[in-house]
Structure formats: C-alpha cells, structure tokens
Amino acid sequence: MQPSRPSAPADDPVRRTGRLPRGARRLQLLRAAQEVFVAQGFHAAAMDDIAVAAGVSKPVLYQHFPGKRELYLALLEQQVGELTERMREAMSGTDDNRTRVDGAVGAFFDFIDADGEAFRLVFESDLRNDDEVRRIVDAGTRGCVEAIAEVIAADTGVDQERALLLASGMTGLAETSARWWLPRKGTVSRDEAVALMSSLAWRGISGFPRLGDADHPTRG
C-alpha cells in the first residue's frame, strides 16, 4: 500500500504559491517538510510530496534545498535548536532551583506534545545511522545537558564531569517519561505528569547542597 499523498488546502494562506520573502518561504517549506517526514519517514517521503504539501512547484523547493537529505537536516537543526532553547530558558528564567527542575522536565513534555509531532524527527528518526543526523541530535542533547550542568556546577560546586553526568540523568528522565506519557495523556494530565517527574528528579538533585548552604540541602 502506497503512502498517502498530502494535499494542499486552497484556503490556507501559508500554502499559497504567491511570492514570499525568502525567509518566509523557507519557513513555509520546513513546515510542509515536517508534515511529510513525520507522516512518512525520511525514506518513504518524496520531494514531490513536500512540494504539494507546501503548495509550490518542485523548482521552487529546489531553490531553497538542493535535495531531500539537505531539507531533512535543516528541519532537524531547527527542531533541535528549539528544544535546546526551551531548556536554556528554563534554566535562565529563574534563580529558584525547584522551579528550574519543573522547567527542565516541562521543556521536554512541551516539545514532545507540540503540534506536528516534530519530536519524532529528533528521537525516532529512520535516518539515525546517518553521521550528520547523529551529529545534530547529539549536539542538541549535549546542549540541553550543558544548560542544566552549568547550573548544577555553579550551585553545588561539583566538577564539570559530575555535573554533566547528573544533568544527563535529568534529561534522560524527562525525555523518556514524556515519550511514555504522550500516548497515555488522556489518563494523566500534562501538569500532573510534569509534577510527578519533577518531584522524582527533585528528590535526587536537591540532595546536593548549594554552595554556602550545606545545612539546608533541599532549599531552592
């Protein structure tokens, strides 16, 4: 059975073929590519499908991306960057460490629960054996880990390698639990799920006292 071909709704202004500034056109094409790659995977998707989904001709698509792999990599970079930025905002938006843990866990839940299921490109790609795909995903993972590790090291005084190890445990907990929760979210709300996993993470990380606050290891 052949994968279904996407159609371009005529009343969707994002899909119209009128002239757009180059940056706006690129974003339009990336959105269409996300729809197709998530639905079909890299190998089954075709540039024809993406052009149809975007409501453009193939020559217009090739003006921006020389091939399907390059388009996929650009989309992956975009999504990995979004996740990393969510994590950095969670760490920098407050000085309260309990709130930071909530934000770190929530960043993964919100990314995975976002419209379009772009997380599948990052965590479930059928192109993970590609060296460049692996490099982009690994760089994104490291960006999230480093954002958390920087705070852990600054607040607790542990060395960099131990801070990175602790941070990787937190990101692993958040990613795995969010992916487990997604198909079951009708039974547990997003807020309750984040609260549960944040409490689990906090019980561990709060055991490391803040510098100058050794008598109160659980303070934010």
Side-chain angles (χ1 to χ4, degrees):
M1 182 175 178
Q2 294 294 321
S4 60
R5 300 291 186 184
S7 59
D11 60 347
D12 186 345
V14 175
R15 305 287 177 82
R16 291 174 188 164
T17 58
R19 295 183 65 83
L20 289 174
R22 185 171 182 84
R25 177 69 78 193
R26 179 182 173 87
L27 288 175
Q28 174 200 21
L29 297 175
L30 287 171
R31 284 196 292 269
Q34 176 182 323
E35 174 187 326
V36 174
F37 284 134
V38 167
Q40 301 184 16
F42 175 81
H43 295 293
M47 292 294 268
D48 295 274
D49 301 332
I50 296 166
V52 169
V56 301
S57 64
K58 280 181 67 178
V60 169
L61 183 54
Y62 280 110
Q63 285 174 10
H64 293 264
F65 303 99
K68 184 172 73 167
R69 181 174 176 274
E70 290 78 9
L71 175 52
Y72 189 91
L73 293 177
L75 179 60
L76 188 61
E77 287 267 20
Q78 179 194 61
Q79 295 303 321
V80 164
E82 179 181 327
L83 175 58
T84 304
E85 185 58 29
R86 286 176 187 264
M87 189 60 67
R88 288 175 179 154
E89 289 176 358
M91 294 298 102
S92 64
T94 179
D95 290 329
D96 182 80
N97 285 337
R98 183 65 175 86
T99 303
R100 281 171 169 158
V101 171
D102 291 342
V105 174
F108 274 93
F109 272 77
D110 291 341
F111 179 73
I112 286 173
D113 194 33
D115 290 341
E117 298 187 338
F119 79 93
R120 298 191 187 281
L121 304 176
V122 179
F123 300 124
E124 300 175 6
S125 173
D126 58 347
L127 203 61
R128 287 298 292 271
N129 289 331
D130 182 286
D131 288 343
E132 189 64 11
V133 168
R134 214 165 36 239
R135 182 195 68 76
I136 293 170
V137 173
D138 288 349
T141 299
R142 186 167 187 87
C144 290
V145 169
E146 287 176 344
I148 299 173
E150 182 178 348
V151 173
I152 292 174
D155 272 15
T156 67
V158 300
D159 63 72
Q160 182 183 26
E161 286 305 316
R162 286 169 176 78
L164 288 168
L165 184 59
L166 289 167
S168 71
M170 186 179 296
T171 58
L173 176 149
E175 177 201 330
T176 302
S177 60
R179 292 172 63 188
W180 173 268
W181 164 81
L182 184 64
R184 302 168 178 83
K185 66 179 182 178
T187 59
V188 181
S189 71
R190 178 266 184 204
D191 289 348
E192 182 183 358
V194 169
L196 284 169
M197 302 317 300
S198 296
S199 294
L200 177 60
W202 180 244
R203 285 179 181 274
I205 203 67
S206 63
F208 290 82
R210 298 181 66 169
L211 287 174
D213 196 23
D215 293 333
H216 302 282
T218 60
R219 280 179 56 184

